Amino acid sequence: MLYEITAAEDVGIRKAAEARQQNKQIRQISSKRFDRSKTDLEIHLEGMRAEFAAAQLLGAELNWELLVGGDKNRGDITLPDNRTASVKFRQKKGWDFALQSSDPREFKEDIGILVYPHATHFRGLDICRWISRGDFLRLAEVRNYGYGDRLVVSPNFMSPIEELIGQIRLAGSGI
C-alpha cells in the first residue's frame, strides 16, 4: 500500500536521521549496510522513511529514541495491538526481507515488514508485505549477497500488508 511522505514530514525525518547519525558518530559506531555506496546518513534516511511510512499506515508508534547501545530490539515501530515490528527497506521490489546476520536470535520483534520505493510517486513508499517472527524462522534461508551470511525470506512467503491492517482493526474493535 502506498504512503507518500509529505515535504514537511520529510524534513522531520531528516532531522531525526541526522540526530541518529550524530549519535553514532560520537560513539564511533558505523551502520550495517547492504549497499556500500551509500553513506551512513543515507542508510538512516531510507530506513527511517520506511519506518515512518509503515507507522503512519498502520497507526503505530515510532521507536526512535536515541539509545547508546542501539534500540535494544524493541522494534522500529510498535503496533496498536502492542506487537513490535522490524521494518526493512529494500531498494528494489522483490528483494528479500533479510537480517544483518545468519543468527536467528537477531529477529526479536514480533513481526517483520517489507517496504520498497513506489514506482511512480517521488516520496512514495510501498508498504507491501509482512511476516511473523515464527514464520520467518521457519522459512528463512542463509544467503550471502556479498556482504556476509544473512537469514532471508523471499517476499513470496510473506503475507500482504492488508492482512496485517485487518488484524489491527479487528484487535481495535475488541471482537
Side-chain angles (χ1 to χ4, degrees), residues 2-60:
L2 169 67
Y3 184 85
E4 191 158 6
I5 295 172
T6 68
E9 289 170 339
D10 204 40
V11 168
I13 295 166
R14 179 171 284 282
K15 285 180 182 176
E18 288 169 348
R20 180 179 286 178
Q21 178 56 30
Q22 184 177 35
N23 188 45
K24 284 186 146 190
Q25 282 177 329
I26 289 167
R27 290 167 181 76
Q28 298 179 334
I29 300 168
S30 37
S31 297
K32 297 176 184 173
R33 62 187 71 221
F34 286 106
D35 185 346
R36 298 197 197 294
S37 70
K38 294 187 179 173
T39 67
D40 284 0
L41 180 58
E42 288 170 320
I43 292 167
H44 293 314
L45 276 170
E46 286 179 345
M48 292 174 82
R49 284 176 179 139
E51 293 163 10
F52 182 87
Q56 294 301 303
L57 180 71
L58 300 169

Side-chain angles (χ1 to χ4, degrees), residues 43-99:
I43 292 167
H44 293 314
L45 276 170
E46 286 179 345
M48 292 174 82
R49 284 176 179 139
E51 293 163 10
F52 182 87
Q56 294 301 303
L57 180 71
L58 300 169
E61 177 185 329
L62 287 163
N63 297 330
W64 281 1
E65 305 86 42
L66 294 174
L67 301 174
V68 173
D71 63 11
K72 305 292 187 213
N73 288 306
R74 288 186 43 241
D76 299 316
I77 63 175
T78 302
L79 302 174
D81 61 8
N82 290 319
R83 286 185 287 178
T84 58
S86 173
V87 178
K88 302 291 186 188
F89 175 80
R90 296 296 175 252
Q91 204 53 42
K92 293 185 182 174
K93 193 161 186 117
W95 282 7
D96 297 326
F97 182 94
L99 301 183

